Amino acid sequence: MYIVTKLHYHQQSKTLDIVFDDAMQFTLSCEFLRTHSPSAEVQDHGNGMKLVLDKQNVAITKLEPVGHYAVRLSFDDGHNSGLYSWQYVRTLSTDHHALWEKYQQRVAKYKETEHTVPIKFVP
C-alpha cells in the first residue's frame, strides 16, 4: 500500500505534485484529475467512465485530507464529490500516459460524431 507524503498545488500551471512514501514523484494536471475523478458521477455508477469534456481550464480550489488514506479535491467548476484514495492516485500517476491517451481518443471520437444527425429515410 502506498501513502502520499506530500501534495503541492501549482496555481499558475494548474498541476498537482504528488510524492509517495517510496520517493516516487509525479505531476498531474487539474484537467486529468478532474476528467478521471473517482466520483460515481464520473465513473458513471459502474457502467464505465463518463466522458467529461471541456475541463482544460479547471483549477483546484481546495485539497482536503480524508483520514490517512485519501484526499478530496474541490474544483472551481463545483465538482468535489470524489475521494482520491492514495491507491487511486498511485494508479493515475503510474498509468497516466495510457489513461490520458485513452481519454484523448474518446474525445476525438466524440468530436467526430458531435455534429452528425442520423437520418432515417422513410419510403
Side-chain angles (χ1 to χ4, degrees):
M1 178 185 281
Y2 297 103
I3 297 174
V4 171
T5 58
K6 181 179 178 183
L7 292 173
H8 180 79
Y9 178 60
H10 299 273
Q11 290 179 333
Q12 289 283 340
S13 63
K14 297 181 183 175
T15 57
L16 183 65
D17 291 339
I18 305 156
V19 180
F20 287 91
D21 59 350
D22 64 351
M24 291 294 291
Q25 299 181 32
F26 302 92
T27 300
L28 300 176
S29 72
C30 290
E31 179 184 12
F32 178 75
L33 290 164
R34 176 61 179 90
T35 59
H36 290 79
S37 170
S39 70
E41 170 197 340
V42 173
Q43 297 297 324
D44 201 20
H45 305 283
N47 297 324
M49 197 118 170
K50 181 179 175 187
L51 184 59
V52 179
L53 298 169
D54 302 322
K55 299 300 176 184
Q56 300 87 338
N57 297 315
V58 74
I60 293 173
T61 58
K62 185 176 181 183
L63 298 162
E64 182 182 352
V66 179
H68 296 287
Y69 66 93
V71 65
R72 179 186 314 274
L73 301 179
S74 295
F75 296 91
D76 63 0
D77 66 353
H79 182 76
N80 69 351
S81 61
L83 290 182
Y84 292 76
S85 72
W86 298 151
Q87 300 316 299
Y88 187 65
V89 171
R90 182 66 175 226
T91 298
L92 290 178
S93 299
T94 57
D95 297 347
H96 174 264
H97 181 73
L99 292 168
W100 188 245
E101 182 66 30
K102 183 177 179 180
Y103 172 77
Q104 291 296 320
Q105 289 172 359
R106 291 180 65 212
V107 169
K109 185 176 180 180
Y110 170 81
K111 288 187 177 192
E112 285 176 7
T113 60
E114 179 179 25
H115 299 292
T116 61
V117 178
I119 298 173
K120 181 177 180 180
F121 291 99
V122 179

PDB file of all heavy atoms in Angstrom, residues 48-85:
ATOM      1  N   GLY A  48     -18.855   2.098 -16.612  1.00  0.00           N
ATOM      2  CA  GLY A  48     -17.757   2.597 -17.419  1.00  0.00           C
ATOM      3  C   GLY A  48     -17.551   4.065 -17.121  1.00  0.00           C
ATOM      4  O   GLY A  48     -18.316   4.685 -16.389  1.00  0.00           O
ATOM      5  N   MET A  49     -16.524   4.633 -17.685  1.00  0.00           N
ATOM      6  CA  MET A  49     -16.171   6.011 -17.380  1.00  0.00           C
ATOM      7  C   MET A  49     -16.960   6.987 -18.251  1.00  0.00           C
ATOM      8  O   MET A  49     -17.002   6.859 -19.462  1.00  0.00           O
ATOM      9  CB  MET A  49     -14.673   6.198 -17.627  1.00  0.00           C
ATOM     10  CG  MET A  49     -14.105   7.396 -17.001  1.00  0.00           C
ATOM     11  SD  MET A  49     -12.876   6.891 -15.836  1.00  0.00           S
ATOM     12  CE  MET A  49     -12.194   8.462 -15.477  1.00  0.00           C
ATOM     13  N   LYS A  50     -17.589   7.964 -17.612  1.00  0.00           N
ATOM     14  CA  LYS A  50     -18.313   9.003 -18.333  1.00  0.00           C
ATOM     15  C   LYS A  50     -17.298   9.941 -18.987  1.00  0.00           C
ATOM     16  O   LYS A  50     -16.260  10.242 -18.410  1.00  0.00           O
ATOM     17  CB  LYS A  50     -19.195   9.781 -17.357  1.00  0.00           C
ATOM     18  CG  LYS A  50     -20.013  10.867 -17.991  1.00  0.00           C
ATOM     19  CD  LYS A  50     -20.868  11.564 -16.946  1.00  0.00           C
ATOM     20  CE  LYS A  50     -21.605  12.740 -17.550  1.00  0.00           C
ATOM     21  NZ  LYS A  50     -22.294  13.519 -16.518  1.00  0.00           N
ATOM     22  N   LEU A  51     -17.605  10.391 -20.172  1.00  0.00           N
ATOM     23  CA  LEU A  51     -16.719  11.321 -20.868  1.00  0.00           C
ATOM     24  C   LEU A  51     -16.987  12.731 -20.362  1.00  0.00           C
ATOM     25  O   LEU A  51     -18.063  13.290 -20.570  1.00  0.00           O
ATOM     26  CB  LEU A  51     -16.941  11.243 -22.378  1.00  0.00           C
ATOM     27  CG  LEU A  51     -16.008  12.089 -23.239  1.00  0.00           C
ATOM     28  CD1 LEU A  51     -14.549  11.694 -23.015  1.00  0.00           C
ATOM     29  CD2 LEU A  51     -16.373  11.945 -24.700  1.00  0.00           C
ATOM     30  N   VAL A  52     -16.014  13.296 -19.669  1.00  0.00           N
ATOM     31  CA  VAL A  52     -16.114  14.653 -19.124  1.00  0.00           C
ATOM     32  C   VAL A  52     -15.330  15.560 -20.064  1.00  0.00           C
ATOM     33  O   VAL A  52     -14.139  15.357 -20.287  1.00  0.00           O
ATOM     34  CB  VAL A  52     -15.531  14.718 -17.693  1.00  0.00           C
ATOM     35  CG1 VAL A  52     -15.603  16.120 -17.144  1.00  0.00           C
ATOM     36  CG2 VAL A  52     -16.267  13.734 -16.788  1.00  0.00           C
ATOM     37  N   LEU A  53     -16.006  16.563 -20.608  1.00  0.00           N
ATOM     38  CA  LEU A  53     -15.398  17.420 -21.626  1.00  0.00           C
ATOM     39  C   LEU A  53     -15.147  18.836 -21.126  1.00  0.00           C
ATOM     40  O   LEU A  53     -15.737  19.275 -20.146  1.00  0.00           O
ATOM     41  CB  LEU A  53     -16.316  17.482 -22.849  1.00  0.00           C
ATOM     42  CG  LEU A  53     -16.576  16.164 -23.554  1.00  0.00           C
ATOM     43  CD1 LEU A  53     -17.698  16.308 -24.555  1.00  0.00           C
ATOM     44  CD2 LEU A  53     -15.315  15.654 -24.220  1.00  0.00           C
ATOM     45  N   ASP A  54     -14.277  19.530 -21.841  1.00  0.00           N
ATOM     46  CA  ASP A  54     -14.028  20.964 -21.663  1.00  0.00           C
ATOM     47  C   ASP A  54     -13.568  21.330 -20.253  1.00  0.00           C
ATOM     48  O   ASP A  54     -14.093  22.254 -19.639  1.00  0.00           O
ATOM     49  CB  ASP A  54     -15.262  21.778 -22.056  1.00  0.00           C
ATOM     50  CG  ASP A  54     -15.670  21.519 -23.498  1.00  0.00           C
ATOM     51  OD1 ASP A  54     -14.767  21.375 -24.346  1.00  0.00           O
ATOM     52  OD2 ASP A  54     -16.876  21.452 -23.770  1.00  0.00           O
ATOM     53  N   LYS A  55     -12.584  20.621 -19.764  1.00  0.00           N
ATOM     54  CA  LYS A  55     -12.041  20.911 -18.437  1.00  0.00           C
ATOM     55  C   LYS A  55     -10.581  21.378 -18.529  1.00  0.00           C
ATOM     56  O   LYS A  55      -9.831  21.292 -17.571  1.00  0.00           O
ATOM     57  CB  LYS A  55     -12.139  19.664 -17.531  1.00  0.00           C
ATOM     58  CG  LYS A  55     -13.564  19.203 -17.311  1.00  0.00           C
ATOM     59  CD  LYS A  55     -14.408  20.278 -16.656  1.00  0.00           C
ATOM     60  CE  LYS A  55     -15.854  19.860 -16.507  1.00  0.00           C
ATOM     61  NZ  LYS A  55     -16.688  20.926 -15.972  1.00  0.00           N
ATOM     62  N   GLN A  56     -10.201  21.930 -19.690  1.00  0.00           N
ATOM     63  CA  GLN A  56      -8.830  22.379 -19.902  1.00  0.00           C
ATOM     64  C   GLN A  56      -8.419  23.472 -18.923  1.00  0.00           C
ATOM     65  O   GLN A  56      -7.255  23.578 -18.563  1.00  0.00           O
ATOM     66  CB  GLN A  56      -8.627  22.909 -21.335  1.00  0.00           C
ATOM     67  CG  GLN A  56      -8.905  21.910 -22.414  1.00  0.00           C
ATOM     68  CD  GLN A  56     -10.370  21.861 -22.840  1.00  0.00           C
ATOM     69  OE1 GLN A  56     -11.275  22.258 -22.113  1.00  0.00           O
ATOM     70  NE2 GLN A  56     -10.611  21.332 -24.023  1.00  0.00           N
ATOM     71  N   ASN A  57      -9.354  24.293 -18.493  1.00  0.00           N
ATOM     72  CA  ASN A  57      -9.028  25.428 -17.626  1.00  0.00           C
ATOM     73  C   ASN A  57      -9.467  25.239 -16.182  1.00  0.00           C
ATOM     74  O   ASN A  57      -9.408  26.182 -15.398  1.00  0.00           O
ATOM     75  CB  ASN A  57      -9.668  26.702 -18.192  1.00  0.00           C
ATOM     76  CG  ASN A  57      -9.100  27.032 -19.556  1.00  0.00           C
ATOM     77  OD1 ASN A  57      -7.897  26.985 -19.761  1.00  0.00           O
ATOM     78  ND2 ASN A  57      -9.961  27.334 -20.503  1.00  0.00           N
ATOM     79  N   VAL A  58      -9.904  24.052 -15.829  1.00  0.00           N
ATOM     80  CA  VAL A  58     -10.358  23.810 -14.466  1.00  0.00           C
ATOM     81  C   VAL A  58      -9.177  23.921 -13.497  1.00  0.00           C
ATOM     82  O   VAL A  58      -8.034  23.610 -13.844  1.00  0.00           O
ATOM     83  CB  VAL A  58     -11.058  22.429 -14.349  1.00  0.00           C
ATOM     84  CG1 VAL A  58     -10.062  21.283 -14.382  1.00  0.00           C
ATOM     85  CG2 VAL A  58     -11.904  22.346 -13.105  1.00  0.00           C
ATOM     86  N   ALA A  59      -9.482  24.399 -12.298  1.00  0.00           N
ATOM     87  CA  ALA A  59      -8.457  24.562 -11.269  1.00  0.00           C
ATOM     88  C   ALA A  59      -8.934  23.918  -9.975  1.00  0.00           C
ATOM     89  O   ALA A  59     -10.137  23.746  -9.752  1.00  0.00           O
ATOM     90  CB  ALA A  59      -8.181  26.048 -11.029  1.00  0.00           C
ATOM     91  N   ILE A  60      -7.993  23.571  -9.134  1.00  0.00           N
ATOM     92  CA  ILE A  60      -8.310  23.047  -7.809  1.00  0.00           C
ATOM     93  C   ILE A  60      -8.463  24.228  -6.869  1.00  0.00           C
ATOM     94  O   ILE A  60      -7.620  25.129  -6.845  1.00  0.00           O
ATOM     95  CB  ILE A  60      -7.199  22.092  -7.322  1.00  0.00           C
ATOM     96  CG1 ILE A  60      -7.170  20.825  -8.187  1.00  0.00           C
ATOM     97  CG2 ILE A  60      -7.402  21.731  -5.843  1.00  0.00           C
ATOM     98  CD1 ILE A  60      -6.004  19.894  -7.887  1.00  0.00           C
ATOM     99  N   THR A  61      -9.542  24.216  -6.104  1.00  0.00           N
ATOM    100  CA  THR A  61      -9.773  25.292  -5.132  1.00  0.00           C
ATOM    101  C   THR A  61      -9.474  24.856  -3.708  1.00  0.00           C
ATOM    102  O   THR A  61      -9.252  25.688  -2.836  1.00  0.00           O
ATOM    103  CB  THR A  61     -11.223  25.810  -5.197  1.00  0.00           C
ATOM    104  OG1 THR A  61     -12.114  24.712  -4.953  1.00  0.00           O
ATOM    105  CG2 THR A  61     -11.514  26.433  -6.559  1.00  0.00           C
ATOM    106  N   LYS A  62      -9.485  23.533  -3.482  1.00  0.00           N
ATOM    107  CA  LYS A  62      -9.266  23.059  -2.115  1.00  0.00           C
ATOM    108  C   LYS A  62      -8.753  21.621  -2.132  1.00  0.00           C
ATOM    109  O   LYS A  62      -9.250  20.787  -2.887  1.00  0.00           O
ATOM    110  CB  LYS A  62     -10.575  23.139  -1.329  1.00  0.00           C
ATOM    111  CG  LYS A  62     -10.471  22.803   0.126  1.00  0.00           C
ATOM    112  CD  LYS A  62     -11.826  23.017   0.807  1.00  0.00           C
ATOM    113  CE  LYS A  62     -11.776  22.710   2.281  1.00  0.00           C
ATOM    114  NZ  LYS A  62     -13.095  22.848   2.904  1.00  0.00           N
ATOM    115  N   LEU A  63      -7.774  21.346  -1.280  1.00  0.00           N
ATOM    116  CA  LEU A  63      -7.274  19.996  -1.019  1.00  0.00           C
ATOM    117  C   LEU A  63      -7.666  19.666   0.415  1.00  0.00           C
ATOM    118  O   LEU A  63      -7.247  20.358   1.338  1.00  0.00           O
ATOM    119  CB  LEU A  63      -5.749  19.932  -1.133  1.00  0.00           C
ATOM    120  CG  LEU A  63      -5.131  20.254  -2.477  1.00  0.00           C
ATOM    121  CD1 LEU A  63      -3.661  20.568  -2.323  1.00  0.00           C
ATOM    122  CD2 LEU A  63      -5.317  19.082  -3.405  1.00  0.00           C
ATOM    123  N   GLU A  64      -8.457  18.631   0.600  1.00  0.00           N
ATOM    124  CA  GLU A  64      -8.936  18.293   1.931  1.00  0.00           C
ATOM    125  C   GLU A  64      -8.552  16.852   2.281  1.00  0.00           C
ATOM    126  O   GLU A  64      -9.051  15.908   1.662  1.00  0.00           O
ATOM    127  CB  GLU A  64     -10.452  18.448   1.954  1.00  0.00           C
ATOM    128  CG  GLU A  64     -11.104  18.175   3.255  1.00  0.00           C
ATOM    129  CD  GLU A  64     -12.614  18.312   3.166  1.00  0.00           C
ATOM    130  OE1 GLU A  64     -13.145  18.766   2.131  1.00  0.00           O
ATOM    131  OE2 GLU A  64     -13.269  17.942   4.144  1.00  0.00           O
ATOM    132  N   PRO A  65      -7.654  16.663   3.253  1.00  0.00           N
ATOM    133  CA  PRO A  65      -7.280  15.293   3.636  1.00  0.00           C
ATOM    134  C   PRO A  65      -8.486  14.532   4.178  1.00  0.00           C
ATOM    135  O   PRO A  65      -9.340  15.102   4.868  1.00  0.00           O
ATOM    136  CB  PRO A  65      -6.242  15.480   4.737  1.00  0.00           C
ATOM    137  CG  PRO A  65      -6.023  16.930   4.894  1.00  0.00           C
ATOM    138  CD  PRO A  65      -7.002  17.670   4.069  1.00  0.00           C
ATOM    139  N   VAL A  66      -8.544  13.259   3.860  1.00  0.00           N
ATOM    140  CA  VAL A  66      -9.590  12.375   4.371  1.00  0.00           C
ATOM    141  C   VAL A  66      -8.868  11.241   5.085  1.00  0.00           C
ATOM    142  O   VAL A  66      -8.337  10.327   4.439  1.00  0.00           O
ATOM    143  CB  VAL A  66     -10.495  11.838   3.247  1.00  0.00           C
ATOM    144  CG1 VAL A  66     -11.548  10.899   3.812  1.00  0.00           C
ATOM    145  CG2 VAL A  66     -11.136  12.977   2.471  1.00  0.00           C
ATOM    146  N   GLY A  67      -8.818  11.336   6.398  1.00  0.00           N
ATOM    147  CA  GLY A  67      -8.070  10.352   7.178  1.00  0.00           C
ATOM    148  C   GLY A  67      -6.621  10.309   6.718  1.00  0.00           C
ATOM    149  O   GLY A  67      -6.038  11.328   6.356  1.00  0.00           O
ATOM    150  N   HIS A  68      -6.065   9.107   6.727  1.00  0.00           N
ATOM    151  CA  HIS A  68      -4.682   8.911   6.264  1.00  0.00           C
ATOM    152  C   HIS A  68      -4.652   8.134   4.956  1.00  0.00           C
ATOM    153  O   HIS A  68      -3.635   7.548   4.601  1.00  0.00           O
ATOM    154  CB  HIS A  68      -3.871   8.159   7.331  1.00  0.00           C
ATOM    155  CG  HIS A  68      -3.719   8.916   8.602  1.00  0.00           C
ATOM    156  ND1 HIS A  68      -2.896  10.005   8.707  1.00  0.00           N
ATOM    157  CD2 HIS A  68      -4.305   8.764   9.806  1.00  0.00           C
ATOM    158  CE1 HIS A  68      -2.978  10.489   9.928  1.00  0.00           C
ATOM    159  NE2 HIS A  68      -3.835   9.757  10.617  1.00  0.00           N
ATOM    160  N   TYR A  69      -5.773   8.140   4.240  1.00  0.00           N
ATOM    161  CA  TYR A  69      -5.856   7.272   3.072  1.00  0.00           C
ATOM    162  C   TYR A  69      -6.307   7.961   1.787  1.00  0.00           C
ATOM    163  O   TYR A  69      -6.307   7.357   0.722  1.00  0.00           O
ATOM    164  CB  TYR A  69      -6.801   6.101   3.354  1.00  0.00           C
ATOM    165  CG  TYR A  69      -8.247   6.515   3.544  1.00  0.00           C
ATOM    166  CD1 TYR A  69      -9.132   6.528   2.479  1.00  0.00           C
ATOM    167  CD2 TYR A  69      -8.713   6.910   4.792  1.00  0.00           C
ATOM    168  CE1 TYR A  69     -10.449   6.922   2.639  1.00  0.00           C
ATOM    169  CE2 TYR A  69     -10.035   7.296   4.968  1.00  0.00           C
ATOM    170  CZ  TYR A  69     -10.896   7.301   3.882  1.00  0.00           C
ATOM    171  OH  TYR A  69     -12.202   7.689   4.059  1.00  0.00           O
ATOM    172  N   ALA A  70      -6.722   9.241   1.856  1.00  0.00           N
ATOM    173  CA  ALA A  70      -7.272   9.867   0.646  1.00  0.00           C
ATOM    174  C   ALA A  70      -7.252  11.383   0.763  1.00  0.00           C
ATOM    175  O   ALA A  70      -6.949  11.943   1.823  1.00  0.00           O
ATOM    176  CB  ALA A  70      -8.710   9.392   0.418  1.00  0.00           C
ATOM    177  N   VAL A  71      -7.611  12.008  -0.353  1.00  0.00           N
ATOM    178  CA  VAL A  71      -7.782  13.459  -0.398  1.00  0.00           C
ATOM    179  C   VAL A  71      -9.030  13.760  -1.210  1.00  0.00           C
ATOM    180  O   VAL A  71      -9.346  13.052  -2.174  1.00  0.00           O
ATOM    181  CB  VAL A  71      -6.537  14.160  -1.004  1.00  0.00           C
ATOM    182  CG1 VAL A  71      -6.337  13.771  -2.469  1.00  0.00           C
ATOM    183  CG2 VAL A  71      -6.603  15.665  -0.847  1.00  0.00           C
ATOM    184  N   ARG A  72      -9.764  14.776  -0.785  1.00  0.00           N
ATOM    185  CA  ARG A  72     -10.902  15.262  -1.559  1.00  0.00           C
ATOM    186  C   ARG A  72     -10.413  16.511  -2.289  1.00  0.00           C
ATOM    187  O   ARG A  72      -9.908  17.449  -1.672  1.00  0.00           O
ATOM    188  CB  ARG A  72     -12.085  15.626  -0.673  1.00  0.00           C
ATOM    189  CG  ARG A  72     -13.280  16.173  -1.472  1.00  0.00           C
ATOM    190  CD  ARG A  72     -14.414  16.677  -0.583  1.00  0.00           C
ATOM    191  NE  ARG A  72     -14.756  15.771   0.486  1.00  0.00           N
ATOM    192  CZ  ARG A  72     -15.605  14.739   0.386  1.00  0.00           C
ATOM    193  NH1 ARG A  72     -16.195  14.492  -0.771  1.00  0.00           N
ATOM    194  NH2 ARG A  72     -15.860  13.966   1.415  1.00  0.00           N
ATOM    195  N   LEU A  73     -10.566  16.499  -3.602  1.00  0.00           N
ATOM    196  CA  LEU A  73     -10.190  17.655  -4.406  1.00  0.00           C
ATOM    197  C   LEU A  73     -11.458  18.413  -4.774  1.00  0.00           C
ATOM    198  O   LEU A  73     -12.407  17.820  -5.287  1.00  0.00           O
ATOM    199  CB  LEU A  73      -9.464  17.218  -5.683  1.00  0.00           C
ATOM    200  CG  LEU A  73      -8.183  16.407  -5.501  1.00  0.00           C
ATOM    201  CD1 LEU A  73      -7.609  16.036  -6.864  1.00  0.00           C
ATOM    202  CD2 LEU A  73      -7.172  17.171  -4.673  1.00  0.00           C
ATOM    203  N   SER A  74     -11.458  19.702  -4.503  1.00  0.00           N
ATOM    204  CA  SER A  74     -12.561  20.561  -4.927  1.00  0.00           C
ATOM    205  C   SER A  74     -12.077  21.365  -6.124  1.00  0.00           C
ATOM    206  O   SER A  74     -10.990  21.945  -6.087  1.00  0.00           O
ATOM    207  CB  SER A  74     -12.975  21.508  -3.800  1.00  0.00           C
ATOM    208  OG  SER A  74     -13.489  20.788  -2.714  1.00  0.00           O
ATOM    209  N   PHE A  75     -12.892  21.387  -7.172  1.00  0.00           N
ATOM    210  CA  PHE A  75     -12.539  22.085  -8.399  1.00  0.00           C
ATOM    211  C   PHE A  75     -13.401  23.322  -8.557  1.00  0.00           C
ATOM    212  O   PHE A  75     -14.514  23.386  -8.036  1.00  0.00           O
ATOM    213  CB  PHE A  75     -12.720  21.153  -9.607  1.00  0.00           C
ATOM    214  CG  PHE A  75     -11.793  19.972  -9.592  1.00  0.00           C
ATOM    215  CD1 PHE A  75     -12.180  18.781  -9.004  1.00  0.00           C
ATOM    216  CD2 PHE A  75     -10.538  20.051 -10.167  1.00  0.00           C
ATOM    217  CE1 PHE A  75     -11.333  17.684  -8.982  1.00  0.00           C
ATOM    218  CE2 PHE A  75      -9.678  18.963 -10.149  1.00  0.00           C
ATOM    219  CZ  PHE A  75     -10.081  17.775  -9.557  1.00  0.00           C
ATOM    220  N   ASP A  76     -12.897  24.287  -9.322  1.00  0.00           N
ATOM    221  CA  ASP A  76     -13.632  25.545  -9.482  1.00  0.00           C
ATOM    222  C   ASP A  76     -14.888  25.422 -10.347  1.00  0.00           C
ATOM    223  O   ASP A  76     -15.643  26.372 -10.469  1.00  0.00           O
ATOM    224  CB  ASP A  76     -12.726  26.671  -9.974  1.00  0.00           C
ATOM    225  CG  ASP A  76     -12.137  26.440 -11.351  1.00  0.00           C
ATOM    226  OD1 ASP A  76     -12.409  25.382 -11.975  1.00  0.00           O
ATOM    227  OD2 ASP A  76     -11.386  27.314 -11.815  1.00  0.00           O
ATOM    228  N   ASP A  77     -15.153  24.241 -10.906  1.00  0.00           N
ATOM    229  CA  ASP A  77     -16.411  24.030 -11.625  1.00  0.00           C
ATOM    230  C   ASP A  77     -17.480  23.462 -10.693  1.00  0.00           C
ATOM    231  O   ASP A  77     -18.560  23.084 -11.129  1.00  0.00           O
ATOM    232  CB  ASP A  77     -16.213  23.123 -12.839  1.00  0.00           C
ATOM    233  CG  ASP A  77     -15.836  21.699 -12.482  1.00  0.00           C
ATOM    234  OD1 ASP A  77     -15.585  21.401 -11.290  1.00  0.00           O
ATOM    235  OD2 ASP A  77     -15.785  20.853 -13.396  1.00  0.00           O
ATOM    236  N   GLY A  78     -17.168  23.387  -9.394  1.00  0.00           N
ATOM    237  CA  GLY A  78     -18.122  22.918  -8.398  1.00  0.00           C
ATOM    238  C   GLY A  78     -18.012  21.442  -8.061  1.00  0.00           C
ATOM    239  O   GLY A  78     -18.607  20.975  -7.096  1.00  0.00           O
ATOM    240  N   HIS A  79     -17.230  20.683  -8.813  1.00  0.00           N
ATOM    241  CA  HIS A  79     -17.106  19.247  -8.565  1.00  0.00           C
ATOM    242  C   HIS A  79     -16.217  19.012  -7.340  1.00  0.00           C
ATOM    243  O   HIS A  79     -15.114  19.542  -7.257  1.00  0.00           O
ATOM    244  CB  HIS A  79     -16.502  18.549  -9.793  1.00  0.00           C
ATOM    245  CG  HIS A  79     -16.387  17.075  -9.626  1.00  0.00           C
ATOM    246  ND1 HIS A  79     -17.469  16.229  -9.720  1.00  0.00           N
ATOM    247  CD2 HIS A  79     -15.327  16.299  -9.356  1.00  0.00           C
ATOM    248  CE1 HIS A  79     -17.063  14.996  -9.531  1.00  0.00           C
ATOM    249  NE2 HIS A  79     -15.765  15.010  -9.303  1.00  0.00           N
ATOM    250  N   ASN A  80     -16.710  18.208  -6.397  1.00  0.00           N
ATOM    251  CA  ASN A  80     -15.910  17.873  -5.216  1.00  0.00           C
ATOM    252  C   ASN A  80     -16.351  16.559  -4.591  1.00  0.00           C
ATOM    253  O   ASN A  80     -16.090  16.306  -3.421  1.00  0.00           O
ATOM    254  CB  ASN A  80     -15.974  18.989  -4.169  1.00  0.00           C
ATOM    255  CG  ASN A  80     -17.342  19.099  -3.528  1.00  0.00           C
ATOM    256  OD1 ASN A  80     -18.303  18.465  -3.964  1.00  0.00           O
ATOM    257  ND2 ASN A  80     -17.442  19.900  -2.490  1.00  0.00           N
ATOM    258  N   SER A  81     -17.012  15.718  -5.348  1.00  0.00           N
ATOM    259  CA  SER A  81     -17.592  14.510  -4.751  1.00  0.00           C
ATOM    260  C   SER A  81     -16.695  13.278  -4.816  1.00  0.00           C
ATOM    261  O   SER A  81     -17.076  12.232  -4.304  1.00  0.00           O
ATOM    262  CB  SER A  81     -18.942  14.201  -5.408  1.00  0.00           C
ATOM    263  OG  SER A  81     -18.773  13.965  -6.784  1.00  0.00           O
ATOM    264  N   GLY A  82     -15.526  13.379  -5.405  1.00  0.00           N
ATOM    265  CA  GLY A  82     -14.663  12.210  -5.498  1.00  0.00           C
ATOM    266  C   GLY A  82     -13.621  12.166  -4.393  1.00  0.00           C
ATOM    267  O   GLY A  82     -12.993  13.168  -4.094  1.00  0.00           O
ATOM    268  N   LEU A  83     -13.460  10.996  -3.776  1.00  0.00           N
ATOM    269  CA  LEU A  83     -12.382  10.794  -2.818  1.00  0.00           C
ATOM    270  C   LEU A  83     -11.246  10.080  -3.540  1.00  0.00           C
ATOM    271  O   LEU A  83     -11.400   8.946  -3.987  1.00  0.00           O
ATOM    272  CB  LEU A  83     -12.841   9.943  -1.636  1.00  0.00           C
ATOM    273  CG  LEU A  83     -13.813  10.576  -0.668  1.00  0.00           C
ATOM    274  CD1 LEU A  83     -14.112   9.605   0.476  1.00  0.00           C
ATOM    275  CD2 LEU A  83     -13.287  11.884  -0.124  1.00  0.00           C
ATOM    276  N   TYR A  84     -10.119  10.742  -3.644  1.00  0.00           N
ATOM    277  CA  TYR A  84      -8.956  10.192  -4.323  1.00  0.00           C
ATOM    278  C   TYR A  84      -8.137   9.424  -3.297  1.00  0.00           C
ATOM    279  O   TYR A  84      -7.331  10.012  -2.561  1.00  0.00           O
ATOM    280  CB  TYR A  84      -8.124  11.318  -4.938  1.00  0.00           C
ATOM    281  CG  TYR A  84      -8.784  12.029  -6.091  1.00  0.00           C
ATOM    282  CD1 TYR A  84      -9.797  12.948  -5.880  1.00  0.00           C
ATOM    283  CD2 TYR A  84      -8.389  11.779  -7.401  1.00  0.00           C
ATOM    284  CE1 TYR A  84     -10.405  13.610  -6.936  1.00  0.00           C
ATOM    285  CE2 TYR A  84      -8.986  12.433  -8.465  1.00  0.00           C
ATOM    286  CZ  TYR A  84      -9.993  13.344  -8.221  1.00  0.00           C
ATOM    287  OH  TYR A  84     -10.596  13.996  -9.276  1.00  0.00           O
ATOM    288  N   SER A  85      -8.348   8.113  -3.220  1.00  0.00           N
ATOM    289  CA  SER A  85      -7.547   7.301  -2.295  1.00  0.00           C
ATOM    290  C   SER A  85      -6.105   7.305  -2.780  1.00  0.00           C
ATOM    291  O   SER A  85      -5.826   7.541  -3.960  1.00  0.00           O
ATOM    292  CB  SER A  85      -8.075   5.867  -2.245  1.00  0.00           C
ATOM    293  OG  SER A  85      -7.753   5.183  -3.447  1.00  0.00           O
TER     294      SER A  85
END
